Amino acid sequence: GNSVTQMEGPVTLSEEAFLTINCTYTATGYPSLFWYVQYPGEGLQLLLKATKADDKGSNKGFEATYRKETTSFHLEKGSVQVSDSAVYFCARSMNYGGSQGNLIFGKGTKLSVKP
Amino acid sequence: DTEVTQTPKHLVMGMTNKKSLKCEQHMGHRAMYWYKQKAKKPPELMFVYSYEKLSINESVPSRFSPECPNSSLLNLHLHALQPEDSALYLCASSQQGSDQPQHFGDGTRLSIL
């Protein structure tokens, strides 16, 4: 089937710590992979994406690499800030190729960064 | 600032009321989506419109009725809702294609009394 599994939270880190949030997906077809972030009281914002194997998405110091061999798309950041506190969702597209790309979301990981 | 605008931001309604949620985007996206998000959960897909036609209905109860009047607007008409329908309702839009990201509005927080 189609699913996304990401590490359970909450994750609490001190400022400037290294962040990893694990995400794996089921390998049905060749999905596009996304990380979205949701700040309190807001909708989801695209953080980064990768559309094929070995692609690396990056934005605002966050990175994730599309690993087909391990069906993973782990999110990393070298030095987190208090402003990174939010809920992070890993997602994969449902369909392959040019058809409509509906999203399957992981359960979300809440990150809290302390000063 | 979000490029997908949802109104109202908050809505409180009784179970017998009729109300509508509105969503607007001017990015030229031809796919639009409604999601329901409960607290501490991921968004759940409700409806997808592609080129103003309903393409996916994820077995949503008929008390939710979507409408896409044109390529920029998406409505969700509500009638006879239940308390368990209280949630954040998110609208999103995207270009066609599975590699295209979805752009989300900030949502309407709906409370059913």
Side-chain angles (χ1 to χ4, degrees):
Chain A
N2 298 306
S3 67
V4 173
T5 303
Q6 63 182 102
M7 62 187 287
E8 296 283 332
V11 174
T12 302
L13 296 173
S14 298
E15 207 165 21
E16 300 183 3
F18 184 86
L19 168 71
T20 300
I21 301 178
N22 290 338
C23 172
T24 58
Y25 64 93
T26 53
T28 304
Y30 302 93
S32 293
L33 301 174
F34 306 88
W35 276 101
Y36 284 86
V37 59
Q38 187 172 30
Y39 298 100
E42 297 184 11
L44 278 69
Q45 299 176 24
L46 177 69
L47 185 57
L48 52 84
K49 73 170 190 177
T51 57
K52 61 183 188 297
D54 300 325
D55 267 2
K56 176 186 280 189
S58 61
N59 185 27
K60 300 180 182 179
F62 291 90
E63 293 183 341
T65 301
Y66 191 141
R67 302 283 188 202
K68 188 179 173 195
E69 62 277 9
T70 54
T71 62
S72 65
F73 192 54
H74 304 322
L75 183 68
E76 296 182 337
K77 186 174 185 182
S79 176
V80 294
Q81 305 301 311
V82 172
S83 57
D84 294 326
S85 299
V87 179
Y88 292 81
F89 291 98
C90 184
R92 60 158 284 170
S93 62
M94 270 286 286
N95 297 339
Y96 166 62
S99 58
Q100 191 46 51
N102 304 327
L103 293 176
I104 299 293
F105 287 96
K107 292 186 176 181
T109 303
K110 183 176 181 180
L111 171 66
S112 295
V113 180
K114 306 299 183 186
Chain B
D1 287 343
T2 182
E3 297 168 314
V4 177
T5 304
Q6 290 188 243
T7 55
K9 292 190 183 304
H10 302 274
L11 178 62
V12 179
M13 58 187 287
M15 289 189 283
T16 58
N17 293 155
K18 285 185 181 181
K19 296 286 185 183
S20 297
L21 309 185
K22 297 187 182 299
C23 175
E24 188 169 5
Q25 57 89 13
H26 295 287
M27 295 177 281
H29 292 168
R30 302 310 296 270
M32 296 187 77
Y33 312 77
W34 279 115
Y35 290 87
K36 174 183 178 180
Q37 187 180 24
K38 301 286 275 186
K40 301 184 180 181
K41 298 290 187 182
E44 299 172 24
L45 184 66
M46 300 174 72
F47 302 104
V48 180
Y49 274 82
S50 179
Y51 292 97
E52 295 95 70
K53 292 191 185 331
L54 183 65
S55 61
I56 293 178
N57 175 343
E58 291 285 354
S59 303
V60 179
S62 60
R63 57 186 184 268
F64 294 91
S65 175
E67 178 197 20
C68 190
N70 60 55
S71 61
S72 299
L73 294 175
L74 185 66
N75 298 323
L76 186 63
H77 303 299
L78 314 173
H79 174 53
L81 295 195
Q82 303 298 309
E84 61 265 28
D85 297 323
S86 297
L88 181 67
Y89 288 84
L90 294 166
C91 173
S93 70
S94 74
Q95 301 281 11
Q96 296 290 335
S98 61
D99 62 336
Q100 298 298 315
Q102 294 182 19
H103 298 252
F104 286 80
D106 284 339
T108 294
R109 188 158 299 282
L110 177 65
S111 298
I112 306 301
L113 301 179

